[in-house]
Amino acid sequence: MSESPYEIGLDPNPANYAPLTPLGFLERSATVYPDHTAIVYGNRRQTWAETYARCRRLASSLAARGVGRGDTVSVMAPNVPAAWEATLAVPMLGAVVNTINTRLDAGTVAFILEHGEAKAIITDRELSPTVEPALAKLERRPLVIDVDDPEAAGGERLGEVEYEALLAGGDPGFEWRMPDDEWDSISLNYTSGTTGNPKGVVYSHRGAYLNAMTNAVVWNMAHHPVYLWTLPMFHCNGWCFPWTLAAVAGTGVCLRRVEAKAIYDAIAGEGVTHFCGAPVVLNFLLNAPETDRRPLERTVQVMTAGAAPPAAVLEGMEASGFRITHVYGLTETYGPSVICSWKPEWDELPPAERAVIKARQGVRYHALDGLAVMDPESMTPVPSDGETMGEVMMRGNIVMKGYLKNSGATREAFEGGWFHSGDLGVSHPDGYVQLKDRSKDIIISGGENISSIEVEDCLFRHPAVLEAAVVAKPHDHWGETPCAFVTLRAGAQATEREIIDWCRSRLAHFKCPTAVVFRELPKTSTGKIQKFRLRDDAAGS
């Protein structure tokens, strides 16, 4: 058989192949748009040329202190310029950037620094009350670099050098290098760890590149957006948006504190066009007092993910002038990997029906090769009937490399050639996926499966309800029944009977709460409701 004419006979070479990496995005924007504003922080304005020079200074200064390929550099900071610069600069050395959740306790921070073998940590002085005792627990102290921000609320200096002094001694022309292989690690992100030590999720240059590019495509993000940093950069590397903004030469408006007034002021004062956030952020924007609000002069694009957003919240935000894009993903999938891709014909539906559709998680990102709702035992897809539940699974280039130093958990997560999300959902006839619950959160009452998300969505529509969470409560006859934990709006009143009757008029009766507890809801450090604590409370009540 003759050889195919498409067998050129040459191996890939520098003329036609380079490893996929987001590192080149920064250099390109600095070259093509050197004077375009990259970073806004209070009165500070910084161009892309200045940002590139600062990142090179940071990389060269770290290299001079022994940081190199395969080393970990941790970052403990809010959404300030130093956190963004470190995300861009650390991988220039072949090192791995590890942005740490700023809301964690000292013990967990110490575990992350030890487990990730941090060689250096860049830490904001405001967080020194947590970082100092964390460092004291370590057998080997990393290089500590303080970020001395005048906007910070005090804090002690812990390090050997201050961030700006470190940069001042660096080389703005530092010759950084591309990765040897696109499969090289670019970042390390830790899961929430609500039931034990967090797991270290490892990202590759290839995955970060692909997800950063896909973010821009799925969100119709043209060049030069003005993006507000409401989403923490420590959360899945800010869903890869530090690299997305570098790719599209956007302007990132940094916020030290995410508050409703600060968000509305930034939208009005800086011309914000896009921001991301969990449903809890949407909720406090929707319920902000009038004194904190500013009129929207343009439609603001909002990408939301996390706990499934209640349709009532989506409906309210869009009525206020925000355009919501609903995405779904996990730390293990570089943040968003599924999107409720919108169809023009849905615009003709009534607002309530549009919100119900928008609450679905949707279809796969362009860079995700496979998305399915599967029976985890047989590993076969469930019927696309919108009713049959299975586990949501993914596979492809934007699934993590694996868990750091945890091959057992990695094998379990990838069993059967798919990543097992642990989320239960259904597939609709049009192929759109909709979450119904975490596998551990499903309520089984008298043999019937009850989605806590469906009940919560009903509760959110009650005019007095600000937040709601539903968990299983043990029951002598039914095995378990739904128990609702509710936070009321300021000044609002409602009784347990009223809440139950509200649900019974809108849901099948077996799905309705048999008990309602009025209280503030416990949340994780990333704003997710801690249902395991509510389950304990329901079991003991």
Side-chain angles (χ1 to χ4, degrees):
M1 182 179 294
S2 61
E3 189 174 281
S4 167
Y6 294 101
E7 297 298 330
I8 304 299
L10 293 175
D11 292 331
N13 63 80
N16 62 18
Y17 171 79
L20 296 182
T21 174
L23 296 185
F25 297 155
L26 172 58
E27 185 274 335
R28 182 182 185 277
S29 284
T31 301
V32 180
Y33 306 104
D35 299 323
H36 190 80
T37 302
I39 295 175
V40 174
Y41 182 50
N43 294 323
R44 174 176 169 182
R45 298 290 188 276
Q46 186 173 302
T47 67
W48 277 107
E50 291 168 337
T51 300
Y52 184 38
R54 284 173 62 84
C55 288
R56 295 169 87 177
R57 286 179 180 275
L58 175 55
S60 72
S61 295
L62 290 172
R65 286 161 174 78
V67 176
R69 179 178 169 81
D71 289 330
T72 303
V73 176
S74 297
V75 180
M76 186 79 168
N79 283 356
V80 296
W84 191 2
E85 290 171 345
T87 300
L88 298 173
V90 169
M92 289 178 167
L93 300 171
V96 177
V97 64
N98 164 226
T99 48
I100 300 176
N101 190 328
T102 59
R103 302 169 191 141
L104 296 176
D105 61 275
T108 306
V109 172
F111 169 82
I112 289 172
L113 294 174
E114 192 79 49
H115 187 260
E117 301 181 30
K119 193 159 188 176
I121 178 172
I122 299 170
T123 178
D124 191 281
R125 280 182 60 185
E126 189 170 280
L127 300 170
S128 62
T130 300
V131 177
E132 186 172 27
L135 292 171
K137 296 175 183 290
L138 303 180
E139 292 185 7
R140 180 189 58 81
R141 182 184 173 94
L143 169 69
V144 180
I145 302 160
D146 288 304
V147 177
D148 193 359
D149 186 343
E151 299 293 323
E156 300 296 325
R157 283 192 175 176
L158 306 176
E160 294 78 6
V161 62
E162 196 276 326
Y163 183 79
E164 292 298 332
L166 181 78
L167 265 63
D171 178 8
F174 177 67
E175 292 292 331
W176 56 277
R177 57 178 291 181
M178 290 286 196
D180 295 329
D181 190 311
E182 61 190 24
W183 191 241
D184 286 353
S185 301
I186 191 171
S187 67
L188 172 65
N189 293 281
Y190 281 82
T191 59
S192 298
T194 55
T195 57
N197 285 328
K199 295 192 287 290
V201 176
V202 182
Y203 292 174
S204 70
H205 282 256
R206 176 184 178 84
Y209 173 96
L210 290 169
N211 216 39
M213 293 287 279
T214 307
N215 279 338
V217 173
V218 299
W219 214 6
N220 296 317
M221 212 176 196
H223 267 65
H224 310 316
V226 181
Y227 179 89
L228 183 62
W229 277 110
T230 48
L231 177 77
M233 292 187 208
F234 63 68
H235 191 42
C236 310
N237 296 116
W239 294 353
C240 293
F241 274 98
W243 298 303
T244 299
L245 291 182
V248 297
T251 299
V253 181
C254 293
L255 282 184
R256 173 169 281 274
R257 293 173 183 84
V258 180
E259 300 166 337
K261 185 177 187 304
I263 294 173
Y264 279 112
D265 286 349
I267 291 171
E270 302 294 345
V272 168
T273 60
H274 296 74
F275 70 86
C276 298
V280 65
V281 175
L282 309 190
N283 208 21
F284 75 64
L285 283 175
L286 192 58
N287 293 282
E290 288 299 323
T291 53
D292 290 349
R293 293 172 177 263
R294 300 280 292 274
L296 299 187
E297 297 181 357
R298 69 191 68 79
T299 299
V300 178
Q301 302 291 332
V302 182
M303 182 178 280
T304 189
V313 173
L314 296 179
E315 185 180 349
M317 285 291 287
E318 298 218 327
S320 300
F322 298 94
R323 179 74 174 180
I324 306 298
T325 298
H326 183 199
V327 294
Y328 158 68
L330 303 95
T331 304
E332 291 88 343
T333 63
Y334 294 72
S337 58
V338 176
I339 180 170
C340 186
S341 195
W342 198 249
K343 299 182 179 180
E345 57 265 31
W346 293 340
D347 287 327
E348 306 304 317
L349 298 173
E353 290 184 35
R354 288 202 308 269
V356 169
I357 291 176
K358 190 156 284 191
R360 299 189 301 180
Q361 279 60 39
V363 295
R364 61 189 174 91
Y365 256 35
H366 298 69
L368 186 68
D369 295 311
L371 171 69
V373 180
M374 312 265 275
D375 180 326
E377 297 298 324
S378 65
M379 291 300 293
T380 57
V382 301
S384 293
D385 56 11
E387 296 290 338
T388 307
M389 280 200 288
E391 184 177 2
V392 179
M393 301 189 191
M394 301 93 149
R395 64 181 177 191
N397 291 298
I398 53 173
V399 174
M400 65 172 179
K401 291 178 66 173
Y403 296 116
L404 184 68
K405 302 177 185 175
N406 197 337
S407 57
T410 301
R411 282 194 298 270
E412 183 179 351
F414 291 157
E415 188 176 356
W418 289 80
F419 169 68
H420 294 242
S421 72
D423 288 326
L424 298 179
V426 299
S427 177
H428 287 274
D430 60 2
Y432 279 56
V433 166
Q434 182 175 8
L435 294 191
K436 290 299 182 180
D437 242 323
R438 291 291 292 174
S439 58
K440 61 180 177 292
D441 292 338
I442 200 75
I443 302 165
I444 305 174
S445 183
E448 298 281 358
N449 288 345
I450 302 172
S451 164
S452 66
I453 293 174
E454 181 182 2
V455 184
E456 288 160 2
D457 190 62
C458 179
L459 290 167
F460 265 98
R461 292 186 174 277
H462 192 287
V465 172
L466 177 66
E467 292 184 316
V470 175
V471 299
K473 178 182 175 66
H475 191 279
D476 290 340
H477 180 69
W478 299 112
E480 54 189 28
T481 57
C483 176
F485 290 84
V486 170
T487 303
L488 296 178
R489 299 179 187 273
Q493 293 183 338
T495 64
E496 180 181 42
R497 186 71 258 164
E498 181 183 346
I499 295 295
I500 292 173
D501 287 346
W502 170 272
C503 293
R504 287 174 69 87
S505 67
R506 289 162 174 82
L507 297 172
H509 288 188
F510 77 89
K511 296 181 179 181
C512 296
T514 57
V516 179
V517 180
F518 296 99
R519 57 167 289 181
E520 184 177 344
L521 303 184
K523 296 183 176 68
T524 69
S525 52
T526 55
K528 296 179 182 178
I529 294 170
Q530 293 178 308
K531 285 195 171 182
F532 72 97
R533 290 177 57 182
L534 297 180
R535 279 193 293 269
D536 289 344
D537 292 349
S541 62

